[in-house]
Amino acid sequence: MARLASIITHIRRWIIIPLSVMALLSGCEKQSDQAEPSATESAATSQEDPQALRLITAQVWRQGKDATQAVESSLLALQKIAQELTKDPSELNLADARNQWHATHQQLLQLQPFFTLGHINPGLFKQLEQARWQLDAWPIEPGYIDYFEVYKHSGIVNDIALPITANAIRQQHGFSSDTDVAIGMHAVAYLLWGEQARRPASDFAAQAPTNDEQQSGLEGADLPPRRRAALLNLLMSLMLDDLRALDYKLGQSASGLNINYASLPPQSQLQLWQQSIDSLLRQQLIGEQIAPLKNVIDSSGFYQHQEFAGNQAQSIVAVLTSVESLVTQDDAAGQTLATWLNPELEVAELRKTFTDAKQALLEAEPNWSSLTTEQVEKLQLQIEALAEQLNPQ
């Protein structure tokens, strides 16, 4: 047997060596008319340059500052419409407030990749996770905010012992559990939509106290409609404060967020983005929002991101749009984060995968609550395809 192994090894050497020589000669012959490197080859070559990598990761980080400014503009519009609603509680103003809520939330979801950095690495980016908790905390316990089902006198709105002030409401946020959500977009959503989107505009209309209420010392400001209106306006102001605080931190080079990010080597920054995007696609979108749809009846504790506002698919599309912008935007050298994440990736092919996934989600929206297992699995596979392109496993 030893003799046979020696013969086989000898034969292999005679086969391999000439092939190696032939390959070398072939390369010499073609060197003079070698074609220009492809985009993926150029990306792979440029990845050997730490400075080039730092340029693209710095550009990606700056997108967070740009996104906060876009959110602020939309949030100001929502604040104005909310004020109109509380002054004139008409169904038209309520519809306008709901539409602007969706527009603002779509903008806020452009920050989701940054918020996910805070989730996967709170040691470095805890302030990003705090910003998410203040601006977009979910799921929420609806009865914690306002009346729900048979509990007609529940929630902050109906608790006259609790003042509608910034300090008091902030203290209620996460009071006993993560679902005790008192501030942010989803608290606002419950005020605008209520249970099963049945909130009437009259819920914000001022009422005079009854004789019994007056004898109990209650004034109009103590009654649910005025407290509900006051809470809505206060939440808008608190969100603007929290968003501007985040914008300031992202804009100041000496802030802890910027120092922590800039102190990392370029390769570590790249790995963070890969982890953030992979967690966002595989865990948050697929694991928390899409996969549970296959068996909603038995999925106790399953909440959609826009549980009360609806348009679930649009929220997922907004997140995909945020990831697409993050990974496909060119830097000054024409490089994209996508080709750094996967040097073999063709950006045009990636963009098509994004387009197909978003189109499928929007087509599924009208039947979102009654999707078949096959339809859910198809959506899941399309997002998994994106995750695989950006992080081959």
Side-chain angles (χ1 to χ4, degrees):
M1 291 297 293
R3 174 65 175 166
L4 179 59
S6 176
I7 293 172
I8 291 172
T9 301
H10 186 69
I11 292 172
R12 284 178 176 169
R13 287 174 180 166
W14 279 103
I15 292 173
I16 294 171
I17 292 174
L19 288 175
S20 302
V21 174
M22 289 174 65
L24 179 61
L25 293 174
S26 174
C28 292
E29 290 175 359
K30 294 182 179 179
Q31 187 173 6
S32 60
D33 59 348
Q34 186 174 359
E36 290 294 321
S38 67
T40 54
E41 289 171 339
S42 296
T45 301
S46 63
Q47 287 195 12
E48 299 173 3
D49 182 358
Q51 182 57 29
L53 177 55
R54 187 175 292 280
L55 287 174
I56 190 66
T57 55
Q59 175 194 272
V60 170
W61 183 253
R62 286 194 297 271
Q63 288 189 44
K65 171 70 173 177
D66 296 339
T68 58
Q69 293 175 339
V71 177
E72 181 177 357
S73 177
S74 190
L75 195 54
L76 283 168
L78 178 57
Q79 181 185 47
K80 182 178 179 181
I81 295 172
Q83 289 170 346
E84 289 297 319
L85 171 64
T86 56
K87 290 177 183 176
D88 178 15
S90 67
E91 293 298 329
L92 179 60
N93 283 339
L94 178 58
D96 286 345
R98 289 172 172 177
N99 289 335
Q100 185 58 42
W101 184 95
H102 278 298
T104 303
H105 193 235
Q106 296 272 314
Q107 289 287 349
L108 181 61
L109 290 175
Q110 300 306 301
L111 283 164
Q112 198 63 32
F114 293 84
F115 292 155
T116 306
L117 279 181
H119 175 71
I120 65 172
N121 197 322
L124 289 175
F125 304 113
K126 182 179 180 180
Q127 292 178 75
L128 290 173
E129 170 58 17
Q130 288 175 332
R132 182 209 63 80
W133 170 241
Q134 293 166 332
L135 294 165
D136 200 42
W138 73 282
I140 74 171
E141 185 65 50
Y144 191 68
I145 298 290
D146 205 344
Y147 68 84
F148 181 73
E149 293 182 347
V150 299
Y151 306 101
K152 301 301 181 183
H153 303 288
S154 69
I156 292 171
V157 166
N158 294 282
D159 183 3
I160 61 173
L162 180 68
I164 306 296
T165 62
N167 287 338
I169 298 304
R170 285 198 184 279
Q171 288 176 5
Q172 293 300 306
H173 190 52
F175 183 77
S176 62
S177 76
D178 287 346
T179 60
D180 288 347
V181 173
I183 62 177
M185 287 298 290
H186 298 283
V188 171
Y190 194 69
L191 289 176
L192 294 177
W193 273 273
E195 180 189 0
Q196 297 181 357
R198 293 175 180 172
R199 172 86 65 204
S202 59
D203 270 4
F204 295 95
Q207 297 176 353
T210 65
N211 290 334
D212 289 342
E213 288 170 339
Q214 287 179 340
Q215 290 177 3
S216 299
L218 296 179
E219 300 177 356
D222 299 318
L223 301 182
R226 286 294 84 193
R227 284 179 60 85
R228 189 174 293 115
L231 180 59
L232 177 61
N233 286 323
L234 175 62
L235 293 186
M236 299 309 307
S237 295
L238 294 181
M239 280 195 294
L240 278 166
D241 289 344
D242 293 335
L243 181 70
R244 285 166 176 162
L246 176 61
D247 181 68
Y248 180 83
K249 292 170 186 175
L250 289 172
Q252 296 297 313
S253 59
S255 72
L257 277 177
N258 283 319
I259 289 173
N260 287 344
Y261 185 77
S263 65
L264 295 171
Q267 192 62 40
S268 296
Q269 293 173 340
L270 180 65
Q271 290 173 356
L272 273 174
W273 286 117
Q274 191 156 56
Q275 292 168 6
S276 172
I277 293 167
D278 199 66
S279 174
L280 187 51
L281 296 176
R282 297 184 191 272
Q283 297 178 26
Q284 296 179 34
L285 296 190
I286 295 176
E288 297 176 9
Q289 296 191 55
I290 293 180
L293 290 171
K294 288 187 285 189
N295 196 9
V296 173
I297 295 176
D298 295 330
S299 297
S300 59
F302 167 58
Y303 295 93
Q304 287 287 297
H305 191 174
Q306 297 180 178
E307 185 76 11
F308 303 101
N311 291 353
Q312 312 288 2
Q314 289 186 21
S315 70
I316 299 176
V317 168
V319 174
L320 292 183
T321 299
S322 73
V323 176
E324 182 177 13
S325 174
L326 200 74
V327 301
T328 63
Q329 183 173 319
D330 295 344
D331 68 1
Q335 298 291 312
T336 65
L337 182 64
T339 52
W340 288 88
L341 295 171
N342 180 5
E344 303 300 321
L345 182 62
E346 292 291 343
V347 175
E349 180 182 346
L350 176 65
R351 286 196 176 104
K352 184 179 185 306
T353 309
F354 271 110
T355 298
D356 292 345
K358 290 189 286 187
Q359 183 63 36
L361 284 161
L362 292 176
E363 290 174 355
E365 181 80 84
N367 303 310
W368 193 257
S369 61
S370 58
L371 293 176
T372 66
T373 298
E374 182 180 0
Q375 289 172 319
V376 174
E377 288 178 347
K378 182 179 178 181
L379 294 175
Q380 182 174 332
L381 286 172
Q382 287 180 301
I383 297 180
E384 284 176 349
L386 285 170
E388 185 63 26
Q389 282 179 298
L390 292 168
N391 186 16
Q393 294 184 350

